[in-house]
């Protein structure tokens, strides 16, 4: 069993402010967590628990029984109250406390107290209840663990923040692999960037026009783990933009994920690749999607986009969604090419694809129908109740590659801040024909996905992502 933790920059800031104060006393807080249970991690093939911080509730002064710089003890009445809230809201309740001057590890007193809280949690909320615990020392988060029962504890491997600044705190010492292939990149982006690339699990949904240039770049940037999702096979009409694909692949109808995997393995750079050739909503993709630290959305399908749109907010997994629209229009009797590339980052704090009017819910419903009931779909198409697939859209490799690069640069910014502290851009549209970038906003309407924090970091719910069907 492995475990890790994700929180927003905001929640990490609140925990630091509450627990690490200048008076050198120990402090404690309750933390509400959403939970993601993964039966089989795509790389380790082991079960995995991922925790997402939902809320931080400081232990109030009147609850504290005794405190100094080496210990804190408080009444557990509120813990019991919070257990019923956690059960009602489908959450887990855990604690965070500080050792102002160290040590950087849990004490034997912590072990005894936490085992008791884990017992309370399971007595109240059943055997599936877990009790996470975080430890701060000298102003930093230094350790974390999850009690899966009163006598079994799993250490967290790492904690990461999302938001405009993606930080990862490693708890277990990882050996640093120095690779000559990444030396020049290290000169530009630093050793920390290379290390994080090797560690992260990156999903690429769609291995077509915009996905294939990404799948060329990420392994050469040191990506250690890549999952590729695409049900389609190579067609002759893809060969103008699909890196690595050959005429023979199109003749033999080779799956796009197979071409991408073959090309990455041919590089010989040690990237581990897992491929999924079914639609991302299918059960066989679920654990893999939930295991990712970052996903690039390179799909044209509206229903797939809607699914990723929810996944980003439910599981705190940033999604960088990519789009390209080429249109040939008439202006003053002259035909012109309008070319818009877009990279949109989906995570709490940023507006979602629905609010940005990027996904078309009607088109998504038609795609769902075509997938689940092809006969009914064809019947409606013949009666013109559905719009059908329409004409193929124009595509040129230079633009598909540029828009993939825009997305990679957004990733670099959030890991390295090369554009400065405020350089992260949630939604960027590049008008290639005008040689200009724009940052369109979103409509300001109440949205159940991005505008309310109820589902942010909620994790597993029935049905998956609260989607019907
Ligand atoms: Zn302690
Ligand atoms: Zn929204």
């Amino acid at each position: 069993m492995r475990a890790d933790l994700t929180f927003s920059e905001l929640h990490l800031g609140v925990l630091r402010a509450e627990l690490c104060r200048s008076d050198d006393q120990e402090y404690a807080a309750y933390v509400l967590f959403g939970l993601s249970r993964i039966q089989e991690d795509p790389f380790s093939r082991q079960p995995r628990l991922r925790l997402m911080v939902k809320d931080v509730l400081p232990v109030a002064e009147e609850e504290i029984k005794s405190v100094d710089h080496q210990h804190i003890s408080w009444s557990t009445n509120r813990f019991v109250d919070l257990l019923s809230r956690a059960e009602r809201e489908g959450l887990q309740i855990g604690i965070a406390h500080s050792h102002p001057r160290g040590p950087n590890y849990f004490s034997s007193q912590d072990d005894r107290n936490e085992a008791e809280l884990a017992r309370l949690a399971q007595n109240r909320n059943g055997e599936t209840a877990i009790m996470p615990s975080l430890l701060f020392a000298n102003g930093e988060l230094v350790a974390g663990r999850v009690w899966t029962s009163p006598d079994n504890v799993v250490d967290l491997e790492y904690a990461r923040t999302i938001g405009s600044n993606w930080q990862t705190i490693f708890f277990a010492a990882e050996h640093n692999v120095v690779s000559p292939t990444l030396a020049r990149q290290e000169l530009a982006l630093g050793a920390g960037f290379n290390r994080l690339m090797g560690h992260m699990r990156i999903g690429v949904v769609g291995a077509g026009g915009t996905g294939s240039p990404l799948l060329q770049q990420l392994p050469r940037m040191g990506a250690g783990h890549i999952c590729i999702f695409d049900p389609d096979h190579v067609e002759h009409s893809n060969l103008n933009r699909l890196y690595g694909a050959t005429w023979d692949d199109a003749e033999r109808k080779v799956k796009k994920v197979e071409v991408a995997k073959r090309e990455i393995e041919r590089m010989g750079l040690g990237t581990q690749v897992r491929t999924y050739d079914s639609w991302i909503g299918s059960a066989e993709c679920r654990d893999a999607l939930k295991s990712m630290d970052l996903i690039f959305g390179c799909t044209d399908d509206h229903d797939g986009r809607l699914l990723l749109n929810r996944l980003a907010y439910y599981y705190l997994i940033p999604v960088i969604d990519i789009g390209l629209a080429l249109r040939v229009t008439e202006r003053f009797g002259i035909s012109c090419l309008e070319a818009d590339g877009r990279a949109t980052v989906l995570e709490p704090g940023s507006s979602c694809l629905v609010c940005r009017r990027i996904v078309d819910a009607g088109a998504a419903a038609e795609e769902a129908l075509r997938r689940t009931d092809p006969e009914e779909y064809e019947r409606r198409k013949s009666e013109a109740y559905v719009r059908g697939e329409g004409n193929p859209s124009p595509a040129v490799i230079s633009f598909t590659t540029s828009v993939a690069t825009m997305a990679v640069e957004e990733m670099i910014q959030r890991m390295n801040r090369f554009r400065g502290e405020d350089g992260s851009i949630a939604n960027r549209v590049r008008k290639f024909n005008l040689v200009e970038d724009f940052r369109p906003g979103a409509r300001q309407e109440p949205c159940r996905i991005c505008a309310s924090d109820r589902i942010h970091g909620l994790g597993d719910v029935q049905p998956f992502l609260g989607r019907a069907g």
Side-chain angles (χ1 to χ4, degrees):
M1 173 81 83
R2 294 177 162 208
D4 63 68
L5 169 72
T6 305
F7 35 33
S8 64
E9 287 172 280
L10 177 79
H11 282 139
L12 177 59
V14 171
L15 279 166
R16 266 211 194 102
E18 287 295 338
L19 304 181
C20 310
R21 303 192 205 175
S22 52
D23 63 3
D24 265 4
Q25 298 268 323
E26 283 204 9
Y27 285 92
Y30 293 112
V31 184
L32 281 163
F33 296 88
L35 182 60
S36 170
R37 286 184 196 272
I38 294 160
Q39 306 245 307
E40 191 184 285
D41 176 279
F43 297 100
S44 71
R45 304 288 182 207
Q46 301 281 314
R48 184 177 175 94
L49 283 180
R50 307 194 84 179
L51 303 167
M52 289 80 67
V53 172
K54 283 278 304 158
D55 208 355
V56 176
L57 309 160
V59 171
E61 227 160 281
E62 58 270 23
E63 298 170 67
I64 296 172
K65 289 185 195 159
S66 66
V67 61
D68 60 28
H69 69 278
Q70 277 187 322
H71 96 290
I72 181 167
S73 74
W74 67 91
S75 148
T76 53
N77 293 347
R78 186 135 157 264
F79 184 78
V80 177
D81 291 344
L82 285 169
L83 281 171
S84 67
R85 174 179 166 192
E87 189 185 40
R88 219 170 37 242
E89 298 179 13
L91 301 174
Q92 306 291 329
I93 178 86
I95 58 163
H97 81 289
S98 58
H99 293 167
R101 294 179 229 157
N104 285 0
Y105 48 84
F106 292 98
S107 66
S108 53
Q109 185 65 45
D110 294 335
D111 293 347
R112 287 191 294 275
N113 294 349
E114 291 178 12
E116 190 46 40
L117 292 177
R119 190 181 315 279
L120 279 172
Q122 295 205 334
N123 285 348
R124 168 69 181 72
N125 287 2
E127 270 183 17
T128 56
I130 56 161
M131 214 294 289
S133 167
L134 306 176
L135 177 64
F136 286 73
N138 301 304
E140 297 299 330
L141 176 62
V142 292
R145 58 184 181 178
V146 191
W147 294 81
T148 59
S149 75
D151 37 41
N152 188 50
V153 67
V154 181
D155 288 329
L156 297 185
E157 281 180 87
Y158 63 93
R160 63 192 191 116
T161 62
I162 59 161
S164 58
N165 180 13
W166 298 342
Q167 269 182 289
T168 301
I169 303 160
F170 295 99
F171 297 130
E174 284 202 0
H175 54 282
N176 235 344
V177 188
V178 180
S179 162
T181 61
L182 295 173
R184 300 296 189 94
Q185 179 169 283
E186 185 173 325
L187 292 176
L189 302 175
F193 180 89
N194 287 352
R195 183 183 181 201
L196 202 47
M197 282 300 290
H199 161 82
M200 278 203 307
R201 288 137 194 271
I202 304 179
V204 177
V205 176
T210 53
S212 90
L214 268 171
L215 290 163
Q216 288 285 310
Q217 294 184 32
L218 296 172
R220 293 194 190 279
M221 296 177 81
H225 313 84
I226 297 181
C227 281
I228 315 171
F229 305 84
D230 196 321
D232 295 337
H233 59 81
V234 178
E235 295 183 49
H236 296 90
S237 62
N238 307 146
L239 296 177
N240 74 324
R241 59 194 186 283
L242 213 56
Y243 286 87
T246 63
W247 180 267
D248 182 56
D249 292 329
E251 289 287 306
R252 293 192 295 118
K253 295 184 171 19
V254 177
K255 293 273 179 160
K256 288 177 181 170
V257 293
E258 288 309 315
V259 171
K261 182 171 196 252
R262 180 184 75 203
E263 294 305 301
I264 294 171
E265 287 178 347
R266 225 163 50 83
M267 293 177 197
L269 301 177
T271 309
Q272 294 185 52
V273 183
R274 301 286 183 267
T275 59
Y276 300 84
D277 63 359
S278 38
W279 187 67
I280 51 161
S282 58
E284 52 276 31
C285 298
R286 192 162 300 174
D287 272 359
L289 284 173
K290 285 167 60 178
S291 301
M292 297 297 103
D293 296 311
L294 165 65
I295 295 174
F296 289 95
C298 311
T299 172
D300 274 339
D301 99 86
H302 290 267
D303 204 22
R305 277 215 171 99
L306 278 181
L307 187 140
L308 292 181
N309 194 55
R310 283 180 177 250
L311 187 86
Y313 296 90
Y314 270 84
Y315 287 98
L316 306 188
I317 300 170
V319 171
I320 306 183
D321 185 74
I322 302 175
L324 178 68
L326 303 186
R327 284 176 304 273
V328 179
T329 56
E330 287 279 321
R331 220 181 288 157
F332 310 116
I334 305 164
S335 91
C336 321
L337 176 64
E338 284 179 27
D340 289 4
R342 177 187 53 78
T344 308
V345 184
L346 306 175
E347 59 185 355
S350 299
S351 296
C352 77
L353 293 177
V354 178
C355 290
R356 295 189 187 280
R357 297 176 195 274
I358 289 167
V359 276
D360 179 340
E366 289 180 12
E367 286 162 6
L369 181 67
R370 188 172 72 208
R371 207 175 45 245
T372 54
D373 191 350
E375 270 178 38
E376 176 64 12
Y377 175 80
E378 288 306 323
R379 193 185 69 75
R380 293 195 196 174
K381 199 164 96 179
S382 67
E383 294 175 10
Y385 285 128
V386 297
R387 284 162 285 186
E389 296 87 342
N391 295 322
S393 29
V396 178
I397 192 169
S398 64
F399 300 129
T400 48
T401 305
S402 286
V403 75
T405 303
M406 280 167 62
V408 171
E409 287 168 0
E410 200 56 49
M411 174 192 80
I412 298 173
Q413 163 63 24
R414 280 151 200 267
M415 289 159 67
N416 166 284
R417 284 175 281 176
F418 74 105
R419 298 190 205 124
E421 288 293 328
D422 303 321
S424 297
I425 301 170
N427 187 40
R428 181 151 62 124
V429 171
R430 177 165 296 173
K431 300 219 174 250
F432 292 102
N433 51 313
L434 301 179
V435 203
E436 246 187 293
D437 279 11
F438 296 84
R439 300 183 189 189
R443 68 180 174 187
Q444 297 296 316
E445 284 169 35
C447 171
R448 279 177 300 169
I449 299 168
C450 69
S452 129
D453 62 7
R454 195 185 67 80
I455 65 151
H456 299 172
L458 187 55
D460 295 337
V461 293
Q462 281 297 341
F464 181 52
L465 302 175
R467 279 166 59 98

